[in-house]
Amino acid sequence: MHGSKGTERVPWYLRPLWALLALGVLCVVWGMYGRARVRGRLAEARQARQVAAHGCALALGRDLTRHNCFRYCNRRSLSPDYFARAAATLSDGYVYLAFARSNSPAGEVIGLFTQRTYNHVSLAFDRDLRTLVSYNGGGPAGAPGLNPETLWELAGRPGAAVRVYRLAATRDQKQIMLRRLGKINQEGSAYNLLGLAVPYARQPNIMFCSQFVYRLLRLAGLIYFHKDPFHVRPTDFVEWDDQGRLEFVAEYAWDGRGLRQTLPARPGLPAV
């Protein structure tokens, strides 16, 4: 569940809505803060107060005007070169799941809803993550929906981190997922911000990140837990892995100068 900082694609007539949307987000954040205080959940209250203090509501309010939860606004975001790179990995024997602690304004707000610090999940067909893909908020040059990603985009900021796991997959299973990606790429997509709070999508290719990854794995017969896709959180893929299907590969974090590979004490994903 990854947000974008870009607002260049926002139509001029929607820009007056920024303040209204930001106010709405801020009201939700302070409402969650008050509820957490009443229930004695001090960690959750601190998190909500931090989100409010960091100006995340204003940044997210700007970003919300770029989204459309009712029709496709993203098409052909994956290039022929992307599909060629993915096809070259079919005999690799694995697909890879990348979990991001993005530390972006959208990520911090989404973390309030999921109560998890890792708030975005992506899928790749190769170990080097050159085929990383997910649903996200796009960017200055892209629309919200299905988009290619890079490790730098996910972890290239202070406080961000990415943990990578692999899941055994046959050539046929990877082909099934790749064909589905091609179909979504042609039909169109949109990032389902509404779906984060309300389990509804007007069209099948309107999804958020964990919903997208869950449905893709389920289509290929690779899913190992059963849950309504609308209610799947990014960390569920690790926390619900009772049979140990996922194998930890690496963690990447920003060290102030660039990305570095680290080895955490515990390969699982921390809850908070």
Side-chain angles (χ1 to χ4, degrees), residues 198-217:
V198 180
Y200 171 78
R202 190 168 182 268
Q203 298 191 60
N205 294 347
I206 299 178
M207 292 180 272
F208 47 83
C209 65
S210 51
Q211 185 181 9
F212 159 70
V213 172
Y214 183 88
R215 287 183 170 176
L216 206 60
L217 293 178

Side-chain angles (χ1 to χ4, degrees), residues 73-117:
C73 58
N74 179 315
R75 285 183 174 83
R76 298 181 178 88
S77 58
L78 302 182
S79 68
D81 182 59
Y82 172 88
F83 287 100
R85 291 197 306 270
T89 73
L90 292 179
S91 299
D92 172 83
Y94 297 94
V95 291
Y96 300 83
L97 301 186
F99 300 88
R101 184 180 69 218
S102 66
N103 206 31
S104 66
E108 290 197 45
V109 174
I110 290 168
L112 286 178
F113 287 94
T114 64
Q115 284 302 294
R116 298 294 187 272
T117 53

